[in-house]
């Protein structure tokens, strides 16, 4: 049996037959090519194919979950999900989404799927080369890499949801060391997109070099309250920390420091945070 939509339909049917009130199957298969270079030579090439599926059920208001990478293990996955539901607490808010009209979202790039190994290697070399050419003070490259991946996803449930999509991703990243007068500083940069044409491999290398160079001669300052301009990567880290506080699950379980602040302002009104998984070209969109 293959990892495909027929597998998802069978999972749903078996789960309902064995007592699940509702069931949902998630199936994924994908390919990934990763290139790592150093000193304008290939350090590592990794190519992988992965696939798997999971099942979540709702039975008597309790959640059950199981997964596998073996397409012949449908019965075992259903049994484990049913068994898991016997030991979870009841939750009156448990539900599954119903079928909706499809959203047309462009997140698939054939040029990533069809890229040759030689072209992929050249993209990774391009990142490192741009960093080294930025300034003679860039003395070392700790890691320069590029990845190219694609995946197919299927989601089905007993309420009529039946969706599938294909998506691609391409990333470039590098870590460099700038040295001057016995001092060394590290710089890093990363960029990812759903489309090969959107990834600026040269710019990733240059940005990492500039960040390392800007840190040369840095010194400590005394603590004081001042206005600062944050680099985008630093802003993203702050948002990552903050996102756990506004997770609905953490709020409902009282694990968030903001659990008691519902409907209250907690950040500056000058800041807008938009959570939209339908923005094209972004790695988080789907």
């Amino acid at each position: 049996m293959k990892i495909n939509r027929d597998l998802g339909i069978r999972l749903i049917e078996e789960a309902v037959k064995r007592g699940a009130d509702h069931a949902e199957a998630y199936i994924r298969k994908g390919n990934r090519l990763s290139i790592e270079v150093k000193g304008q030579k290939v350090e590592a090439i990794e190519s992988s194919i992965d696939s798997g599926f999971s099942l979540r059920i709702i039975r008597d208001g309790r959640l059950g979950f199981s997964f596998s990478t073996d397409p012949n293990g449908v019965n075992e996955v259903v049994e484990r999900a049913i068994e898991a539901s016997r030991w979870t607490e009841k939750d009156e808010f448990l539900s599954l989404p119903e079928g909706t009209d499809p959203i047309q979202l462009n997140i698939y790039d054939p040029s990533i799927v069809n890229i040759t190994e030689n072209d992929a290697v050249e993209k990774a070399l391009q990142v490192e080369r741009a960093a080294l050419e930025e300034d003679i003070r860039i003395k070392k490259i700790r890691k320069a890499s590029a990845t190219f991946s694609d995946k197919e996803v299927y989601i089905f449930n007993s309420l009529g949801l039946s969706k599938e999509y294909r998506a691609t991703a391409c990333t470039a990243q590098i870590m460099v060391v700038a040295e001057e007068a016995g001092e060394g500083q590290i710089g890093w940069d990363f960029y990812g997109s759903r489309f090969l044409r959107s990834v600026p491999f040269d710019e990733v290398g240059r940005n990492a070099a500039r960040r390392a160079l800007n840190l040369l001669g840095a010194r400590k300052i005394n603590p004081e309250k001042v206005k600062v301009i944050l680099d985008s990567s630093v802003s993203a880290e702050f948002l990552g920390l903050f996102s756990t506080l506004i997770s609905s699950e953490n709020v409902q379980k009282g694990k968030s420091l903001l659990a008691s602040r519902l409907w209250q302002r907690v950040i500056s009104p000058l800041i807008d945070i938009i959570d939209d998984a339908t923005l094209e070209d972004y790695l988080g969109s789907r």
Side-chain angles (χ1 to χ4, degrees), residues 73-262:
V74 169
N75 293 335
E76 291 81 359
V77 168
V78 173
E79 288 175 2
R80 291 199 300 265
I82 295 290
E83 178 64 20
S85 69
R86 297 191 176 102
W87 305 100
T88 56
E89 295 183 2
K90 280 194 173 185
D91 185 344
E92 61 179 304
F93 298 108
L94 279 178
S95 64
L96 297 179
E98 298 180 359
T100 58
D101 293 332
I103 296 175
Q104 299 301 322
L105 187 61
N106 186 18
I107 53 175
Y108 181 78
D109 182 5
S111 61
I112 291 179
V113 178
N114 298 323
I115 192 169
T116 66
E117 188 174 285
N118 286 340
D119 287 343
V121 168
E122 176 54 32
K123 295 295 185 184
L125 291 172
Q126 191 177 336
V127 177
E128 184 189 47
R129 192 160 52 241
L132 292 169
E133 292 175 352
E134 180 66 18
D135 194 288
I136 61 173
R137 290 172 292 175
I138 302 299
K139 301 294 186 181
K140 299 175 183 176
I141 304 295
R142 288 199 171 183
K143 181 179 181 181
S145 64
T147 63
F148 310 85
S149 61
D150 65 278
K151 66 179 179 180
E152 292 180 56
V153 173
Y154 303 86
I155 306 174
F156 310 93
N157 71 28
S158 54
L159 295 181
L161 178 68
S162 177
K163 302 291 181 185
E164 61 185 86
Y165 69 89
R166 299 181 72 184
T168 52
C170 176
T171 67
Q173 65 175 322
I174 186 172
M175 182 178 292
V176 308
V177 178
E179 296 180 351
E180 184 177 45
E183 177 191 0
Q185 294 287 356
I186 293 175
W188 175 85
D189 197 34
F190 167 90
Y191 196 94
S193 172
R194 294 291 190 185
F195 297 92
L196 182 62
R197 65 178 181 271
S198 299
V199 180
F201 294 93
D202 285 339
E203 194 63 26
V204 170
R206 286 193 290 266
N207 283 342
R210 291 165 187 162
R211 286 174 174 169
L213 293 167
N214 286 339
L215 288 173
L216 289 174
R219 58 185 176 82
K220 291 183 178 180
I221 62 173
N222 295 324
E224 57 182 305
K225 188 174 182 179
V226 296
K227 294 181 179 180
V228 298
I229 298 176
L230 298 179
D231 182 272
S232 58
S233 61
V234 177
S235 300
E237 288 188 32
F238 273 111
L239 180 58
L241 294 170
F242 187 75
S243 64
T244 61
L245 301 179
I246 56 178
S247 156
S248 58
E249 181 179 7
N250 287 341
V251 171
Q252 290 166 4
K253 292 181 177 180
K255 295 181 178 180
S256 168
L257 296 175
L258 300 178
S260 62
R261 304 289 300 278
L262 197 62

Side-chain angles (χ1 to χ4, degrees), residues 39-65:
Q40 288 295 282
K41 294 181 180 180
V42 176
E43 283 271 293
I45 297 179
E46 294 183 5
S47 179
S48 61
I49 300 174
D50 65 89
S51 62
F53 61 95
S54 62
L55 173 71
R56 64 171 174 167
I57 67 159
I58 298 175
R59 182 172 176 269
D60 298 328
R62 302 173 188 271
L63 181 68
F65 177 82

Side-chain angles (χ1 to χ4, degrees), residues 13-31:
E13 292 175 346
E14 287 294 321
V16 172
K17 185 189 301 183
R18 300 192 190 193
D21 298 318
H22 298 292
E24 184 171 80
Y26 177 92
I27 303 170
R28 182 189 183 281
K29 55 183 178 180
N31 303 280

